[in-house]
Amino acid sequence: MRIPFIAGNWKMHKTPEESIKLAKEIDNFLQENQEIDVDVLICPPYTSLYLLNKELKDRKVLLGAQNMSYEDEGAYTGEISPLMLKDMDIEYVILGHSERRQFFSENDEIINKKIKKAIEHNLKPILCVGETLEERESGKDKEKVKNQIIADLENIDKEKAADITIAYEPIWAIGTGKTASSDDANDMIKYIRSILKELYDEETSETMRIQYGGSVKPHNIKELMNKSDIDGALVGGASLKSEDFNKIIDF
Ligand code: PEP
């Protein structure tokens, strides 16, 4: 049984003070509603992570980073090491987000190195994959997603793969207000599970959680979560307000 998994990607938003306020509103909601059986993760900017881990004692909400280096340490100006994340009790890390691929030239080779490094340090990766609108309209969406998964998970064995979450995020749906229909999202996620089965085995493919991401909001989460293969959501814009995010958690 896969436990639903809702993650908030705060991107480049929120000062440390604002982060504490928002994180507390989310964590308090989880503490007050213990019956909600959902893993809830927030991924604030690096500048807030240390403080959040200190401030939220006995937190239910999980903490994640939005990116990390594939090196442990060294002369890599501006980078954050997985060891630094581990030292702050960070549990998860988003890797291969389309914004990293698009604006920071991250390719599958780099993402594969990051995934391996995260696993080496017991950080759980959320690997983002997804097609552009052009690829979808030309019928190349599945091919694109398959190629990304095969390249990003190269040489990662099945014991390690079980700890990886995949986030299927069609690029055209991120921050645009356009969502894939719940049927299309489920169809692609089923397809991703079939690739994982080919790469690993049935048990591993049934264990790995696969989220949908792309304009997830309080009004569409229920329909998405009712689908057979959608295990959760990676939420951008709607994770920045506790009124919205807490409704999503409580789908
Ligand atoms: C995202 O950034 O991963 C995302 C899905 O953003 P939004 O929910 O704003 O579309």
Side-chain angles (χ1 to χ4, degrees), residues 7 9-11 94 97-99 128 167-171 173-178 212-217 233-239:
N9 174 11
W10 294 5
K11 309 194 186 188
I94 298 173
H97 192 281
S98 61
E99 288 152 15
C128 302
Y168 165 57
E169 299 208 302
I171 295 167
I174 298 179
T176 58
K178 291 182 194 155
Y212 166 76
S215 300
V216 172
K217 307 285 176 205
L234 180 54
V235 185
S239 70

Side-chain angles (χ1 to χ4, degrees), residues 7-194:
N9 174 11
W10 294 5
K11 309 194 186 188
M12 202 168 68
H13 296 287
K14 306 286 176 192
T15 63
E17 291 305 316
E18 290 166 346
S19 297
I20 291 176
K21 181 172 180 293
L22 177 55
K24 282 188 174 164
E25 287 164 0
I26 295 164
D27 195 55
N28 289 344
F29 182 74
L30 289 173
Q31 306 283 1
E32 284 157 16
N33 295 279
Q34 296 279 340
E35 72 286 358
I36 296 179
D37 193 15
V38 174
D39 286 344
V40 178
L41 171 74
I42 51 173
C43 301
Y46 293 127
T47 42
S48 297
L49 281 174
Y50 178 77
L51 206 51
L52 286 186
N53 188 44
K54 286 247 176 261
E55 288 281 326
L56 275 78
K57 301 273 175 249
D58 301 320
R59 58 185 163 79
K60 276 203 86 182
V61 72
L62 300 160
L63 286 180
Q66 299 171 19
N67 180 34
M68 56 159 237
S69 169
Y70 54 72
E71 297 289 351
D72 284 344
E73 64 175 351
Y76 301 102
T77 302
E79 289 291 276
I80 299 287
S81 140
L83 295 172
M84 295 168 182
L85 298 179
K86 282 305 285 184
D87 189 56
M88 295 188 289
D89 295 329
I90 302 309
E91 293 124 315
Y92 286 84
V93 57
I94 298 173
L95 294 173
H97 192 281
S98 61
E99 288 152 15
R100 299 291 320 168
R101 295 178 191 256
Q102 185 183 350
F103 303 127
F104 302 96
S105 308
E106 287 194 13
N107 58 26
D108 290 318
E109 196 188 330
I110 292 174
I111 293 159
N112 177 248
K113 280 165 90 171
K114 291 187 176 194
I115 300 234
K116 286 181 181 152
K117 185 52 87 175
I119 287 170
E120 183 189 321
H121 292 297
N122 292 318
L123 284 157
K124 295 179 183 159
I126 298 182
L127 166 63
C128 302
V129 296
E131 80 285 357
T132 61
L133 188 57
E134 201 183 348
E135 286 158 344
R136 170 154 288 249
E137 285 175 346
S138 59
K140 295 207 163 88
D141 47 340
K142 288 197 165 137
E143 185 187 327
K144 165 75 176 292
V145 167
K146 181 176 185 170
N147 290 340
Q148 284 183 325
I149 290 178
I150 290 174
D152 297 343
L153 296 182
E154 195 178 85
N155 292 326
I156 290 166
D157 62 30
K158 68 173 183 178
E159 284 73 28
K160 307 287 185 200
D163 268 346
I164 299 174
T165 299
I166 310 264
Y168 165 57
E169 299 208 302
I171 295 167
W172 49 270
I174 298 179
T176 58
K178 291 182 194 155
T179 341
S181 72
S182 55
D183 283 333
D184 284 351
N186 196 48
D187 181 52
M188 180 64 95
I189 288 179
K190 270 188 176 167
Y191 176 67
I192 292 173
R193 218 176 283 292
S194 76

